[in-house]
Amino acid sequence: GTDKWVADLELLKGLEPLAKDDEFVKKFAAVKKANKHAFVGFAKDHYGIDIDENTLFNTMVKRLHEYKRQSLKILAVISTYADIKSGKVKAEDITPRTVFFGAKAAPGYYLAKMTIELINNVSRVISSDSAVKGKLAVHMLPNYNVEMAQNLIPATELDEQISQAGKEASGTGNMKFALNGALTVGTLDGANVEIRERVGADNFFLFGMTVDEVEAQYANGYDPAKYYEADPRLKQAIDLVADGTFSNGDRNTYSPLVADWLTKDWFMTLADFSAYMGIQSEIEALYADELEWNRKAVLNVANSGYFSSDRSMEDYLERIWHTAPLA
Ligand SMILES: *Cc1c(COP(=O)(O)O)cnc(C)c1O
């Protein structure tokens, strides 16, 4: 039958030539739209939130950890919010976006819990600001678990894999998203490296420092304040966290987080901020071309069969355990 790929995921490779077939790509795009529509219903039922399905669905779901750099994403969201609100970006240049976060943190992990609180407060402030209505929304979805993943990953168009280069052992979320037709914005870290090799550099939004550049920064004495001073957008975003914009005017609420960013920033979020903002225009230009975006999404699916757990187990049998399957 046509469903052999379910048990032999590398058969997805057969889709590759269809990325050139406009009619196929349009059907693929319609499936993604249907998945977005379904997630809007899921989110209404489970979280009681209203989502505009005619926005770019942009997702960052994973454990909350400083090395994974949810801070980088929320600072970028804050910067975009400030630019839209001030009129710095013209209305016709705005790509309406919905940003979804999902993350759990260890109970004693103070900065991680504080980051979740900040995301929730940015969400609250943005959702109550009529100046950005229909242009930008942020949701911190509670209780990230497999059920949420099963609903959100197929609905996602842009996936965030923005950890500091050298820190992620592999990641599996990145594979799930590529397999489900999302494009990835990511660093050269963990399995992002192999995903990019498989799907093609043209079909992956790469940004940020390499492992070698990170090592050189540690060796030379990394100074985050330098980046804060050098990039006005970064400075503005951090200043908005510091000045109480997201904490009802209370400047103390986020002072531990702000102090960490400006004096320590062990995972070099500030150093990668400019590059991260830089790639957004590339992402938005491609998103404006629905057919081209979906062509690249098809190529991501077609080349993700390699990340099947069956293939991975066969690799273990051969290279690690030196044995053969039982049947
Ligand atoms: C895949 C998955 C993860 C791991 O995500 P990474 O991005 O690889 O860190 C964590 N939690 C859930 C519920 C998942 O489905």
Side-chain angles (χ1 to χ4, degrees):
T2 54
D3 57 359
K4 281 208 177 76
W5 63 274
V6 174
D8 184 0
L9 206 60
E10 296 201 61
L11 290 176
L12 288 176
K13 190 77 179 170
L15 292 173
E16 191 156 40
L18 293 171
K20 294 198 189 83
D21 177 342
D22 289 0
E23 289 317 305
F24 177 83
V25 176
K26 283 177 194 162
K27 282 187 200 163
F28 177 95
V31 173
K32 181 59 80 175
K33 275 208 166 75
N35 292 345
K36 289 174 71 178
H37 181 77
F39 185 74
V40 169
F42 178 90
K44 183 75 183 168
D45 288 350
H46 287 73
Y47 317 119
I49 55 174
D50 294 305
I51 296 167
D52 179 354
E53 61 194 274
N54 297 310
T55 55
L56 167 63
F57 279 20
N58 180 194
T59 302
M60 183 166 192
V61 285
K62 46 185 71 262
R63 282 175 303 112
L64 202 306
H65 197 286
E66 288 161 277
Y67 87 79
K68 289 176 180 281
R69 303 199 299 187
Q70 281 90 355
S71 280
L72 177 54
K73 184 62 186 167
I74 198 64
L75 284 170
V77 167
I78 293 168
S79 176
T80 304
Y81 168 60
D83 283 352
I84 296 174
K85 196 173 162 64
S86 69
K88 204 170 139 194
V89 235
K90 283 177 284 173
E92 65 265 28
D93 291 335
I94 295 166
T95 301
R97 236 192 241 240
T98 303
V99 177
F100 300 104
F101 284 93
K104 290 173 179 174
Y109 190 171
Y110 184 69
L111 285 183
K113 291 290 189 189
M114 185 169 278
T115 305
I116 292 176
E117 192 202 299
L118 174 63
I119 296 168
N120 271 306
N121 275 322
V122 171
S123 169
R124 176 180 55 79
V125 168
I126 289 181
S127 69
S128 57
D129 189 337
S130 59
V132 295
K133 201 173 165 53
K135 296 167 186 148
L136 181 64
V138 188
H139 299 287
M140 179 78 219
L141 305 174
N143 192 22
Y144 177 43
N145 61 12
V146 171
E147 187 195 8
M148 190 207 294
Q150 287 173 328
N151 286 277
L152 177 56
I153 293 175
T156 293
E157 294 168 297
L158 178 66
D159 168 38
E160 304 279 334
Q161 299 296 338
I162 60 179
S163 50
Q164 186 197 31
K167 291 298 179 298
E168 191 74 82
S170 159
T172 54
N174 47 7
M175 301 168 188
K176 293 178 239 172
F177 281 98
L179 186 61
N180 281 280
L183 300 189
T184 307
V185 55
T187 48
L188 270 184
D189 195 26
N192 289 355
V193 176
E194 286 138 290
I195 290 173
R196 181 168 169 269
E197 273 166 19
R198 295 271 154 186
V199 307
D202 289 346
N203 307 310
F204 185 105
F205 298 107
L206 179 72
F207 79 100
M209 291 189 290
T210 62
V211 172
D212 289 347
E213 286 163 346
V214 165
E215 291 305 324
Q217 289 263 24
Y218 284 131
N220 298 334
Y222 174 64
D223 177 17
K226 201 175 74 185
Y227 294 92
Y228 168 83
E229 294 300 340
D231 184 340
R233 287 207 283 184
L234 175 59
K235 183 171 188 304
Q236 181 183 34
I238 291 179
D239 288 350
L240 286 172
V241 177
D243 75 8
T245 297
F246 305 107
S247 43
N248 300 310
D250 182 356
R251 303 177 59 92
N252 286 324
T253 304
Y254 295 115
S255 56
L257 201 51
V258 171
D260 187 275
W261 287 336
L262 294 180
T263 63
K264 192 171 157 220
D265 188 26
W266 184 250
F267 299 102
M268 302 180 183
T269 296
L270 274 59
D272 269 343
F273 181 86
S274 299
Y276 181 73
M277 295 307 285
I279 202 154
Q280 298 306 317
S281 44
E282 228 178 279
I283 290 168
E284 291 179 358
L286 182 67
Y287 193 72
D289 189 339
E290 200 181 335
L291 206 54
E292 286 309 311
W293 179 282
N294 282 288
R295 236 187 268 292
K296 289 176 189 289
V298 169
L299 290 171
N300 269 259
V301 175
N303 290 291
S304 290
Y306 174 79
F307 300 104
S308 147
S309 53
D310 293 333
R311 200 275 314 149
S312 181
M313 282 304 115
E314 279 165 19
D315 207 39
Y316 272 72
L317 288 181
E318 199 178 307
R319 290 173 37 197
I320 313 283
W321 300 326
H322 305 291
T323 183
L326 287 173

